[in-house]
């Protein structure tokens, strides 16, 4: 029997299990230090595979839709951050300050790649534009996300005194850990592209395992520092409400913008699915660079909640778009 679209997918269940494991058996001491080194290698492998998957033909085919790409970038890196910042008087009372920091971090992340493309395909949207736009968002996020974190969350990085020098250092570290493996994977695509395509299912499990490893180490550090003692149930419920509000505004705005600008239905679908989603795959490794280890667990909670919410809602939207006449 098929699983209901409203139930969590296997990866989300694995995320929940990882958080539970870190809560009951957190890594500490020498084990935690060993896992930190392992996560660096796992993150590099994750972005190497993303680079190897990116087709140059898809980039060329999608580049012509520059108006669409500009709107996706504007939604991802302007609308979302403004929304998180402007709604602070409404959102902050619903959650704790550390969770609100995570909400702002969620708002400055790049768009997701895999699920955005999958939903665009399901809904019969503009696939080349979706591949180009989502991939470009990931690459731009390597620079833009640290800049926005430095602007909106200087205290979360150790205080405003860190300044521009600290922000540039963070960008350098993220480029070294994420961009360099991504570019290396893409440059080697002609040699390993066939292997990547033939073993896509296996390599996807490598992707997900890398994220789970980072989540475990992050939540272990947070649990050791007393995360759950400092996080009331009301704040978790408030977080669900906050994510629902942000997602609803993003979906409504991208749909309105597509129709106001006269985009085709295929381009509207691409804008909705690329412009309203946030990347867990990028958010987890970047958080490890941008924030102190003990703070990462709480900061990642919003993106984990938003991740599942966007999957469920976008699955419904994709099926509705797919039912339109050919």
């Amino acid at each position: 029997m098929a699983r209901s679209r409203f139930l969590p997918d296997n990866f989300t269940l694995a995320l929940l299990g990882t958080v539970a494991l870190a809560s009951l058996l957190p890594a500490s001491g020498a084990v935690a230090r060993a896992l930190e080194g392992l996560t660096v290698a796992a993150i590099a492998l994750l972005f190497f595979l993303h680079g190897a998957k990116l087709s140059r033909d898809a980039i060329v085919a999608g580049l012509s839709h520059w108006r669409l790409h500009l709107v996706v970038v504007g939604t991802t890196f302007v609308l979302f951050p403004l929304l998180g910042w402007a709604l602070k008087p409404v959102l902050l009372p619903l959650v704790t300050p550390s969770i609100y920091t995570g909400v702002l971090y969620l708002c400055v992340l790049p768009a997701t790649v895999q699920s955005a493309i999958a939903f665009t395909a399901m809904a019969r949207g503009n696939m080349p534009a979706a591949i180009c736009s989502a991939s470009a968002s990931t690459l731009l996020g390597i620079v833009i996300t640290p800049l926005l974190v430095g602007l909106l969350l200087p205290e979360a990085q150790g205080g405003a005194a860190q300044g521009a020098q600290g922000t540039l250092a963070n960008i350098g570290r993220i480029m070294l850990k994420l961009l360099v493996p991504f570019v290396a994977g893409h440059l080697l695509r002609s040699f390993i592209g066939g292997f990547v395509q033939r073993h896509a299912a296996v390599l996807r499990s490598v992707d997900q395992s890398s994220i789970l490893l980072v989540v475990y180490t992050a939540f272990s550090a947070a649990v050791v520092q007393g995360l759950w003692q400092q996080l009331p149930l009301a704040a978790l419920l408030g977080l669900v409400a906050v994510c629902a509000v942000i997602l609803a505004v993003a979906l409504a705005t991208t749909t309105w913008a597509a129709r106001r600008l006269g985009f085709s239905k295929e381009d509207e679908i691409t804008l909705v699915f690329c412009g309203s989603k946030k990347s867990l795959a990028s958010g987890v490794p970047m958080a490890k660079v941008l924030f102190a280890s003990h703070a990462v667990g709480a900061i990642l909670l919003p993106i984990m909640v938003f991740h599942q919410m966007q999957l469920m809602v976008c699955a419904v939207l994709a099926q509705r778009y797919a039912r339109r006449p050919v």
Side-chain angles (χ1 to χ4, degrees), residues 46 100 145 152 175 197 207 244 323:
L46 173 68
Y100 177 69
T145 293
L152 297 177
M175 291 182 71
Q197 290 180 345
D207 280 359
R323 288 195 293 267

Side-chain angles (χ1 to χ4, degrees), residues 54-104:
L54 182 59
S55 166
R56 213 159 299 174
D57 292 337
I59 297 174
V60 174
L63 283 175
S64 60
H65 295 74
W66 60 270
R67 290 175 67 239
L68 175 60
H69 301 320
L70 283 178
V71 179
V72 171
V73 170
T75 302
T76 303
F77 295 116
V78 179
L79 173 66
F80 265 97
L82 285 176
L83 189 61
W85 175 74
L87 291 180
K88 180 177 181 178
V90 178
L91 302 182
L92 187 55
L94 298 176
V95 295
T96 64
S98 61
I99 295 297
Y100 177 69
T101 297
V103 171
L104 281 181

Side-chain angles (χ1 to χ4, degrees), residues 65 68-69 72 116-117 119-131 133 254-255 258-259 262-275 318 321-326:
H65 295 74
L68 175 60
H69 301 320
V72 171
I117 294 171
F119 285 130
T120 300
M122 185 189 306
R124 292 188 283 122
N126 187 333
M127 278 292 293
I131 293 170
S133 194
T254 50
T255 303
R259 296 172 183 177
F263 287 162
S264 66
K265 184 60 69 173
E266 290 74 18
D267 286 349
E268 175 189 320
I269 290 168
T270 299
L271 174 56
V272 167
F273 291 131
C274 293
Y321 275 123
R323 288 195 293 267
R324 74 187 189 280
V326 178

Side-chain angles (χ1 to χ4, degrees), residues 33-57:
R33 289 190 293 273
L35 288 177
E36 285 287 342
L38 188 57
T39 58
V40 173
I43 289 168
L45 177 61
L46 173 68
F47 276 79
F48 178 83
L49 293 175
H50 277 302
K53 292 174 188 174
L54 182 59
S55 166
R56 213 159 299 174
D57 292 337

Side-chain angles (χ1 to χ4, degrees), residues 6-325:
F6 296 107
L7 292 177
D9 61 1
N10 290 335
F11 181 54
T12 300
L13 292 176
L15 276 174
L16 294 174
T18 301
V19 172
L21 178 62
S23 300
L24 296 173
L25 297 171
S28 59
V31 174
R33 289 190 293 273
L35 288 177
E36 285 287 342
L38 188 57
T39 58
V40 173
I43 289 168
L45 177 61
L46 173 68
F47 276 79
F48 178 83
L49 293 175
H50 277 302
K53 292 174 188 174
L54 182 59
S55 166
R56 213 159 299 174
D57 292 337
I59 297 174
V60 174
L63 283 175
S64 60
H65 295 74
W66 60 270
R67 290 175 67 239
L68 175 60
H69 301 320
L70 283 178
V71 179
V72 171
V73 170
T75 302
T76 303
F77 295 116
V78 179
L79 173 66
F80 265 97
L82 285 176
L83 189 61
W85 175 74
L87 291 180
K88 180 177 181 178
V90 178
L91 302 182
L92 187 55
L94 298 176
V95 295
T96 64
S98 61
I99 295 297
Y100 177 69
T101 297
V103 171
L104 281 181
Y105 178 63
L106 156 70
C107 289
V108 303
L109 287 174
T112 186
V113 176
Q114 291 179 343
S115 60
I117 294 171
F119 285 130
T120 300
M122 185 189 306
R124 292 188 283 122
N126 187 333
M127 278 292 293
I131 293 170
C132 183
S133 194
S135 301
S137 178
T138 297
L139 294 177
L140 288 171
I142 290 174
V143 175
I144 296 176
T145 293
L147 289 174
L148 291 173
V149 168
L151 180 65
L152 297 177
L153 297 167
E155 70 285 349
Q157 295 182 283
Q162 186 184 40
Q165 185 176 358
T167 299
L168 291 175
N170 284 332
I171 292 174
R173 284 195 291 270
I174 288 175
M175 291 182 71
L176 181 62
K177 293 182 178 181
L178 307 187
L179 183 59
V180 170
F182 185 96
V183 172
H186 187 63
L187 292 176
L188 292 172
R189 177 178 169 78
S190 59
F191 301 101
I192 64 174
F195 176 84
V196 170
Q197 290 180 345
R198 288 192 302 272
H199 299 85
V202 175
L203 294 178
R204 186 182 179 190
S205 68
V206 174
D207 280 359
Q208 295 180 347
S209 298
S210 301
I211 296 172
L212 293 175
L213 177 61
V214 178
V215 168
Y216 175 74
T217 57
F219 271 86
S220 290
V223 168
V224 170
Q225 294 292 324
L227 170 66
W228 299 123
Q229 288 77 17
Q230 302 165 18
L231 190 63
L233 177 60
L236 288 176
L237 297 176
L239 175 59
V240 173
V242 167
C243 290
V245 169
I246 292 175
L247 180 60
V249 172
L251 288 170
T253 302
T254 50
T255 303
W256 173 84
R259 296 172 183 177
R260 185 74 175 82
L261 294 170
F263 287 162
S264 66
K265 184 60 69 173
E266 290 74 18
D267 286 349
E268 175 189 320
I269 290 168
T270 299
L271 174 56
V272 167
F273 291 131
C274 293
S276 65
K277 299 172 75 62
K278 290 293 184 175
S279 175
L280 180 69
S282 295
V284 170
M286 280 199 278
K288 293 286 289 181
V289 175
L290 294 171
F291 304 104
S293 296
H294 68 272
V296 171
I299 287 171
L300 288 179
L301 272 178
I303 182 58
M304 292 176 64
V305 172
F306 192 85
H307 170 80
Q308 176 58 29
M309 192 174 292
Q310 70 186 5
L311 289 180
M312 293 190 297
V313 173
C314 288
V316 175
L317 288 177
Q319 291 179 17
R320 183 174 299 176
Y321 275 123
R323 288 195 293 267
R324 74 187 189 280

